[in-house]
């Protein structure tokens, strides 16, 4: 059997689109205003991104409390590394499933909010379960000593971390997609900047609450810091998420013309492959899932593809920055204070040095978080202020951020004291502030830009097939600036790409999470290779892990140079439309 040519497939898609437009036009419920989002107020964007902030509280509680809790149960450091794979695994596998399911969700109150609410309830329950897991196991093992209860608790607590991370993935995948769905293209940059600000601000709030003696302040909420913190975070998360979901309304996916069009095309393609989703078996569901993820990866818009590839390289280096900073600073403190022979030190002096090492590690994380927030407050403002500047735009800032990251991580060659290391990690707040804002903004802007182009094309077909009413003649979608998007070459170009926000943002998260697994494996290898035979003497393995991350970051730098601004993408499309014959 000969395969149809790409051009034949595109022609078929275009004619399918025309048929669908007339079918959907016949639907009296269809409203053309559903094709685009109105400009949103700052208050609206703040309320919308509160979900991202509330979620960060769950992350920061897990980061700060889970490791000491697991160690207190007697989990080995090796097992701990396996448990911590839950984060990257949930990001790599959980988010694409949620992305696809929410893209297909057909509930009248929206595609994303059902998942956000479900994910929030699951996150809250798993956080409470995790922090109380020893008590829960204890109920089933009465009259056993604490050591035995702790031993039995380990697998339940490990499962708790996995359930928590997969629940977090449900909210993370849906709240980013919600931003793309309800905010217009021109505000994607600022909306994602607010999401980054929320991450920074709620991280600091999480740190700050974590420094209080919570068990003494709220004894009725639990006997340990972790238990009380979980109750507080659970309450704040539920209140903020419920408020956002109540205040932010989504369009019903049943009346969104662009969504309906994309779904019908998808259904047809699946049927052509022999996959009938209506009479699905487990096997067809799995087959259809992989087919849809692979198809989406193959049809990523070029700009999104470049950002994803750059993220892959960048996150190899970000992973140690997020996970090993406090250990690195703490170790430097210990060894600059003669900790090489701890057994020669009096016990109380040993403990004092260890405690001060932990405090310096925390100070580094705090300095990093404060700089991150400052960067996310200042840079989006500068980008907006110098809107026409060639040197201050998101694309340029992302390039600079990779340069800062590479230089900073390589400077570990010269870092000898914990104070120098704290200053270094404060500096690393600059690239991290960009990392939680710019790639998301670039991808969201691109999805939104493509949706706008599709709106112009769909509207034009709709208009050709109907007598214009007064409401439609007021429509400003097809203008002299956008009319070239109606050329055959542009229709074919944008017919070929996927622009569903759920799956695209989830694929981006795969390029964020998968390299973390590689980085974690690479780090264990370097630890083994560089570790001294005398385990108490100082080794520079962490320094080398940061430097390798910096060198791999050169890949991210090279790729980020290929990212285009919106103006460049527009010019490129226009030139392509004008030079290609119809
Ligand atoms: O993008 C900001 C977020 O980055 C991290 O999350 C990513 O890594 C996680 C595993 O470490 C993974 O589970 C998640 O899916 C990824 O997005 C960070 O852990 C978050 O705190 C931060 O908000």
């Amino acid at each position: 059997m000969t395969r149809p040519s790409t051009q034949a497939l595109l022609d078929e898609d275009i004619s399918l689109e025309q048929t669908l437009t007339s079918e959907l036009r016949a639907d009296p419920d269809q409203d053309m205003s559903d094709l685009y989002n109105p400009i949103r107020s700052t208050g609206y964007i703040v309320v919308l991104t509160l979900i991202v902030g509330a979620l960060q509280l769950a992350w920061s509680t897990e980061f700060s409390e889970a490791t000491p809790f697991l160690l207190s149960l007697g989990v080995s450091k090796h097992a701990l590394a396996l448990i911590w794979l839950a984060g990257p695994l949930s990001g790599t596998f959980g988010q694409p499933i949620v992305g696809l399911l929410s893209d297909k969700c057909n509930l009248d109150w929206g595609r994303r909010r059902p998942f956000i609410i479900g994910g929030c309830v699951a996150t809250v329950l798993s956080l409470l379960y995790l922090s109380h897991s020893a008590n829960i196991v204890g109920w089933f093992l009465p009259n056993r000593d604490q050591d035995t209860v702790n031993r039995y608790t380990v697998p339940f607590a490990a499962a708790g971390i996995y359930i928590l991370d997969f629940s977090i993935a449900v909210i993370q995948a849906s709240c980013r997609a919600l931003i793309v769905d309800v905010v217009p293209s021109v505000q994607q940059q600022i909306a994602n900047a607010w999401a980054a600000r929320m991450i920074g601000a709620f991280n600091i709030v999480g740190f700050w609450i974590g420094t209080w003696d919570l068990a003494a302040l709220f004894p009725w909420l639990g006997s340990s810091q972790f238990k009380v913190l979980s109750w507080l975070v659970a309450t704040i998360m539920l209140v903020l998420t419920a408020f956002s979901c109540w205040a932010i309304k989504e369009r019903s996916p049943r009346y969104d013309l662009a969504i309906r069009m994309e779904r019908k095309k998808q259904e047809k393609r699946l049927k052509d492959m022999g996959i009938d989703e209506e009479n699905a078996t487990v096997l067809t569901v799995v087959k259809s899932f992989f087919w849809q993820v692979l198809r989406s990866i193959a049809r990523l818009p070029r700009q999104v593809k470049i950002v994803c590839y750059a993220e892959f390289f960048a996150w190899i280096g970000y992973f140690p920055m997020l996970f090993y900073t406090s250990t690195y600073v703490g170790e430097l403190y210990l060894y600059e204070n003669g900790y090489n022979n701890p057994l020669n030190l009096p016990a109380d002096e040993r403990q004092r040095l260890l405690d001060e090492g932990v405090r310096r590690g925390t100070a580094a994380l705090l300095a990093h978080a404060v700089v991150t927030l400052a960067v996310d407050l200042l840079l989006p403002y500068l980008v907006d202020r110098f809107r026409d500047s060639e040197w201050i735009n998101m694309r340029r800032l992302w390039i600079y951020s990779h340069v800062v990251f590479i230089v900073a991580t390589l400077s570990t060659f010269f870092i000898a004291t914990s104070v120098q290391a704290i200053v270094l990690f404060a500096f690393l707040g600059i690239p991290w502030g960009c990392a939680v804002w710019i790639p998301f903004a670039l991808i969201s802007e691109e999805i939104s830009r493509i949706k706008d182009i599709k709106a112009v094309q769909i509207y034009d077909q709709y208009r050709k097939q109907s007598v214009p009413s007064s409401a439609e003649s007021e429509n400003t979608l097809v203008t002299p600036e956008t009319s070239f998007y109606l050329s055959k070459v542009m229709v074919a170009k944008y017919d070929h790409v996927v622009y569903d926000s759920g799956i695209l943002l989830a694929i981006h998260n795969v390029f964020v999470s998968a390299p973390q697994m590689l980085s974690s494996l690479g780090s264990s290898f370097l630890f083994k290779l560089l570790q001294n035979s005398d385990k108490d003497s100082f080794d520079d393995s962490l320094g080398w892990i940061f430097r390798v991350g910096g060198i791999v970051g050169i890949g991210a730098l090279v790729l980020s140079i290929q990212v285009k601004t919106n103006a460049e993408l527009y010019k490129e499309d226009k030139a392509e439309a004008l030079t290609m014959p119809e």
Side-chain angles (χ1 to χ4, degrees):
M1 203 174 91
T2 52
R3 280 165 64 89
S5 71
T6 313
Q7 188 54 49
L9 286 173
L10 287 177
D11 286 346
E12 195 191 314
D13 271 354
I14 293 166
S15 81
L16 175 69
E17 211 160 271
Q18 279 161 357
T19 320
L20 290 174
T21 315
S22 66
E23 236 177 64
L24 298 172
R25 194 180 56 79
D27 185 339
D29 286 329
Q30 191 60 58
D31 177 2
M32 290 311 284
S33 67
D34 278 344
L35 279 172
Y36 50 89
N37 285 310
I39 293 291
R40 305 296 189 184
S41 67
T42 304
Y44 179 98
I45 293 174
V46 170
V47 173
L48 169 67
T49 51
L50 271 179
I51 305 170
V52 182
L55 176 62
Q56 198 58 35
L57 279 183
W59 271 126
S60 71
T61 307
E62 190 186 349
F63 276 151
S64 61
E65 298 296 328
T67 300
F69 172 65
L70 291 169
L71 290 174
S72 76
L73 295 176
V75 173
S76 68
K77 288 220 168 109
H78 176 70
L80 204 58
L82 289 180
I83 296 174
W84 279 123
L85 275 182
L89 280 174
S90 62
T92 308
F93 298 105
Q95 290 210 24
I97 297 176
V98 178
L100 271 182
L101 289 177
S102 69
D103 281 343
K104 283 176 190 296
C105 175
N106 219 12
L107 293 178
D108 262 338
W109 45 295
R111 298 192 289 174
R112 315 296 176 195
R113 286 181 304 166
F115 287 86
I116 293 173
I117 292 168
C120 179
V121 171
T123 301
V124 160
L125 291 179
S126 44
L127 199 54
L128 292 173
Y129 161 78
L130 180 62
S131 56
H132 292 78
S133 50
N135 300 68
I136 297 171
V137 171
W139 293 334
F140 295 97
L141 295 173
N143 312 321
R144 296 291 190 96
D145 62 279
Q146 195 55 47
D147 276 353
T148 313
V149 172
N150 283 355
R151 210 158 8 105
Y152 279 99
T153 306
V154 170
F156 290 95
I161 298 265
Y162 272 77
I163 300 170
L164 175 61
D165 283 355
F166 275 84
S167 310
I168 286 178
V170 177
I171 319 181
Q172 212 182 358
S174 324
C175 65
R176 288 284 182 174
L178 181 63
I179 298 177
V180 180
D181 287 359
V182 300
V183 172
S185 313
V186 286
Q187 288 183 299
Q188 284 300 324
Q189 182 176 306
I190 193 66
N192 280 284
W194 272 104
R197 288 167 187 170
M198 292 293 174
I199 291 179
F202 278 82
N203 241 341
I204 294 175
V205 170
F207 258 131
W208 181 54
I209 302 181
T211 58
W212 302 348
D213 186 356
L214 294 173
L217 279 171
F218 306 98
W220 63 92
L221 286 181
S223 53
S224 72
Q225 184 82 354
F226 190 18
K227 285 178 196 163
V228 180
L229 192 57
S230 300
W231 279 111
L232 293 179
V233 166
T235 313
I236 301 173
M237 268 191 88
L238 282 175
V239 171
L240 292 184
T241 310
F243 173 62
S244 280
C245 288
W246 165 77
I248 304 296
K249 303 283 177 279
E250 282 178 83
R251 287 194 288 265
S252 165
R254 295 201 294 133
Y255 303 126
D256 187 311
L257 194 52
I259 294 174
R260 294 175 72 185
M261 184 87 79
E262 198 50 25
R263 282 183 181 171
K264 292 219 174 204
K265 280 204 264 175
Q266 184 91 327
E267 260 167 45
K268 184 180 174 297
R269 287 184 192 121
L270 282 169
K271 278 217 173 97
D272 290 349
M273 286 196 53
I275 302 172
D276 181 0
E277 287 196 310
E278 271 169 23
N279 306 307
T281 60
V282 176
L283 191 67
T284 35
V285 169
V286 173
K287 202 167 140 189
S288 139
F289 168 75
F290 280 107
W291 181 79
Q292 289 177 68
V293 172
L294 291 176
R295 178 183 168 276
S296 304
I297 293 179
R299 290 182 163 216
L300 284 181
R302 187 176 174 275
Q303 176 98 332
V304 176
K305 204 180 279 178
I306 294 172
V307 174
C308 286
Y309 292 167
E311 286 280 76
F312 184 87
F313 289 101
W315 272 86
I316 300 242
Y318 294 158
F319 177 78
M321 176 183 73
L322 292 182
F323 283 85
Y324 302 137
T325 297
S326 51
T327 317
Y328 179 69
V329 175
E331 277 186 3
L332 277 172
Y333 176 77
L334 290 180
Y335 294 101
E336 71 190 278
N337 284 281
Y339 198 79
N340 279 345
N341 288 311
L343 292 180
N344 290 347
L345 296 169
D348 55 346
E349 174 61 3
R350 219 181 318 157
Q351 194 53 47
R352 192 193 64 77
L353 288 177
L354 285 172
D355 289 348
E356 182 56 23
V358 171
R359 269 194 291 276
R360 293 206 173 201
T362 311
L365 290 176
L366 187 61
H368 180 81
V370 170
V371 174
T372 301
L373 180 59
V375 162
D376 286 322
L377 286 170
L378 181 69
L379 292 189
Y381 166 76
L382 289 182
V383 168
D384 192 45
R385 174 93 172 66
F386 298 98
R387 205 167 301 159
D388 299 321
S389 158
E390 204 197 307
W391 297 99
I392 303 176
N393 55 50
M394 280 201 303
R395 173 186 168 263
R396 288 274 178 187
L397 291 178
W398 204 34
I399 297 174
Y400 305 150
S401 82
H402 293 310
V403 176
V404 174
F405 183 78
I406 295 163
V407 172
T409 46
L410 292 181
S411 76
T412 49
F413 273 120
F414 310 104
I415 297 288
T417 67
S418 57
V419 173
Q420 290 169 349
I422 293 174
V423 174
L424 170 73
F425 285 104
F427 255 103
L428 281 168
I430 300 172
W432 182 240
C434 294
V436 290
W437 166 45
I438 297 177
F440 293 97
L442 288 171
I443 292 182
S444 305
E445 253 189 12
E446 181 61 356
I447 299 173
S448 206
R449 189 185 74 91
I450 296 173
K451 271 178 127 179
D452 289 350
I453 294 169
K454 294 297 288 185
V456 172
Q457 295 171 345
I458 293 170
Y459 174 73
D460 182 62
Q461 282 175 26
Y462 185 92
R463 198 176 51 169
K464 276 184 199 148
Q465 294 172 22
S466 66
V467 182
S469 71
S470 57
E472 281 165 34
S473 55
E474 276 167 23
N475 196 299
T476 52
L477 282 178
V478 183
T479 63
E481 286 76 42
T482 60
S483 57
F484 70 89
Y485 281 117
L486 304 177
S487 65
K488 207 170 172 189
V489 57
M490 286 294 112
V491 174
K493 177 172 178 177
Y494 285 99
D495 181 69
H496 190 62
V497 293
V498 171
Y499 59 96
D500 270 330
S501 47
I503 187 62
L504 283 190
L505 287 161
I507 288 173
H508 166 242
N509 204 64
V510 171
F511 284 86
V512 161
S513 301
Q516 296 186 48
M517 289 189 254
L518 284 183
S519 188
S520 158
L521 287 176
S523 304
S524 334
F525 172 73
L526 283 179
F527 279 137
K528 277 242 156 2
L529 189 75
L530 300 166
Q531 196 172 284
N532 287 335
S533 48
D534 166 14
K535 76 175 181 41
D536 282 327
S537 70
F538 181 71
D539 67 57
D540 196 20
S541 48
L542 276 173
W544 275 104
I545 289 169
F546 290 125
R547 282 163 220 146
V548 171
I551 292 167
V552 177
I554 295 174
L557 170 64
V558 171
L559 283 155
S560 64
I561 293 170
Q562 295 172 38
V563 168
K564 299 212 159 83
T565 60
N566 265 352
E568 285 167 343
L569 290 167
Y570 177 81
K571 265 194 210 151
E572 196 180 83
D573 276 349
K574 199 165 187 176
E576 213 175 304
L578 295 177
T579 47
M580 296 274 210
E582 273 297 285

